[in-house]
Amino acid sequence: MAEGGSQEQSPVSGVAERYATALFELASEAKTVDAVAKDLDGFAAMIAESDDLKRLIGSPAFSAQDQVSAITALTAKAGITGLAANFIGFVASKRRLFALPGMIRAFRAKVAEAKGVVSAEVTLAEEPSAAQLKDITAALREVAGKDVDVSLKVDPAIIGGLVVKMGSRMVDASLKTKLNSIRLAMKEVG
């Protein structure tokens, strides 16, 4: 397993981390961490499904008032209430909606850390069966020594095998990487 070096934090990830930390502390005090996480996951799903919403949160062309009005209507329609709705509205009022996806990811990471759960990103060439996913999750749990929250990505470009990122560790057991290694070895021989 390759150990990753330290990565410089981008300004957006710094903002996201600070906002997520504040939200996590407020949710912890109010004992609503799970409800906030559920609402934020719902809003993240809305972002993923709507190009118009992606434009709204990413474009500086919209005024803060336009963003707040739109976000307030969307959260109400989606049934997102309480601390999560207030947080999203606050982020909009501060013109930080562009960083909201990062804030949601950072909040999820804080929730997982508090629950003793490790996050792992697994990339496969095709959607795994339930049995394969169960085996992957069990293997990762054994390596981590903790519960693992597996996030799946499908990338046909890796041809086969898998790529696993867990914390600062990464294992690339993809067929594409193995073929590239063989190609390099053949060039050295020839």
Side-chain angles (χ1 to χ4, degrees):
M1 288 187 196
E3 288 291 324
S6 66
Q7 296 177 349
E8 285 189 33
Q9 200 173 34
S10 76
V12 172
S13 65
V15 167
E17 185 68 28
R18 287 191 300 275
Y19 275 69
T21 298
L23 178 60
F24 183 77
E25 289 172 1
L26 288 171
S28 294
E29 287 174 17
K31 298 187 184 340
T32 59
V33 171
D34 290 336
V36 170
K38 181 178 180 255
D39 284 345
L40 290 179
D41 286 345
F43 198 78
M46 289 170 56
I47 293 170
E49 295 169 3
S50 171
D51 289 337
D52 289 338
L53 184 53
K54 286 177 192 168
R55 271 191 297 282
L56 175 71
I57 68 170
S59 175
F62 297 101
S63 71
Q65 186 55 44
D66 290 343
Q67 288 181 326
V68 169
S69 297
I71 292 300
T72 302
L74 284 170
T75 54
K77 185 173 182 175
I80 297 171
T81 59
L83 190 53
N86 292 343
F87 175 76
I88 295 168
F90 176 75
V91 170
S93 72
K94 294 298 181 184
R95 307 231 359 116
R96 298 280 190 260
L97 278 179
F98 65 91
L100 186 59
M103 293 174 194
I104 293 171
R105 280 191 301 275
F107 184 81
R108 283 181 189 142
K110 295 208 172 294
V111 171
E113 182 181 334
K115 291 182 176 184
V117 176
V118 177
S119 294
E121 181 180 292
V122 178
T123 305
L124 299 151
E126 59 187 31
E127 196 71 35
S129 67
Q132 289 170 324
L133 182 57
K134 184 178 175 185
D135 290 344
I136 291 168
T137 304
L140 292 174
R141 187 178 305 120
E142 187 177 313
V143 168
K146 298 180 179 182
D147 282 337
V148 179
D149 179 27
V150 176
S151 168
L152 284 178
K153 277 183 157 179
V154 176
D155 182 4
I158 70 169
I159 304 169
L162 56 97
V163 178
V164 178
K165 295 177 189 172
M166 189 165 56
S168 63
R169 298 180 287 185
M170 180 176 143
V171 176
D172 187 342
S174 67
L175 191 52
K176 179 180 179 180
T177 299
K178 290 178 183 179
L179 289 172
N180 285 338
S181 295
I182 291 170
R183 185 177 307 126
L184 285 172
M186 297 294 283
K187 282 182 182 179
E188 289 175 8
V189 171

